Amino acid sequence: MSDPKSDNTENLTTTLTETAQQAVDLPAALLRSEIEQASQIYQIVIDFFTNYSFQLVGALLIFLLGYSVAGKIAKTVLRLCEKQKLDVTLSRFLASTTRMVVMVMISIIALSKIGVSVTPFIAAIGAISLGAGLALQGLLANYAAGFNIIIIRPFVVGDTIEVQGVTGIVKEVQLAYTIIHNEDSAEITIPNKHIVGEVVLNSRKDTLLQLSVGISYQDNPIEVIALIERTLAKLDIYTEEVRMQVGIDDFADSAITIGIRLWIPTTNLYAAKYSAYKAIYLAFEQEKITIPFPQQDIHIIEQQKLAQNK
């Protein structure tokens, strides 16, 4: 009979030997598996470039050539628009749109060259566009309004407009927004959806400056009007395209109001206003023209006179 203790020792030794062997073989097996995977990936890459190398080179050449052609076509469209004296904003829009359309066509040709079907991409773009349209309604409204502005052209770059309570010179019209600059050179960005459908005052290059000054009833308003016209003519602050207008604007309680209308370059609006008021004040002071202040005359009837009248 065998010794049980000896058998247990032998079994334990065998188990430990097998465990140690497995521990030694495990890294080697993992290393062989990784080498086999890398070899398979390498073989796939080699097969891909072997089979599609010419297609890839051809697609890359088509894309680069198309990119260059798209830029030249866009420049040609821009030159033609400028030659036809179209609006700067409309010309740039047509040029950029033409370039985008050409690049889309070139991309489709390049993808088909390497055997990629564009149908799934078109379907995916359609689905993404639907979701984006629902999520970005405000932004799309700005783009739609910008397209409307570019086509209808209620104003162009260089015009002076007043919209949403702000006034300035149009510097740039984008699809999403319009940029205007005021007299302080501050840049004001207006989303296009806040322009389309609103009342827009377009005074082209100039802004209407309206002034008023009161004179007493003892002064001759006709002579004062002539004095104001001579005074403002010396300042050379208004444009010659529209004649200066000066006249009686109102017969107020305490004064005769003289109204003044001048078309002033937008970039010099407030400076012209302050210069005009200063010149008018100095002219009135020199000619002894009275600028009245609100007043009331109170007549007190004595009690004795009241009794005599009775």
Side-chain angles (χ1 to χ4, degrees), residues 8 26 76 113-114 121 136 143-144 167 169 192 222 241 290:
N8 291 336
L26 182 59
T76 302
K113 185 67 178 178
I114 58 177
F121 288 99
L136 303 174
Y143 278 94
T167 303
I169 300 175
N192 287 330
I222 305 303
E241 296 179 2
T290 303

Side-chain angles (χ1 to χ4, degrees), residues 13-29 32:
T13 301
T14 303
T15 302
L16 292 175
T17 303
E18 292 177 353
T19 302
Q21 185 65 34
Q22 290 177 358
V24 173
D25 294 341
L26 182 59
R32 286 195 298 271

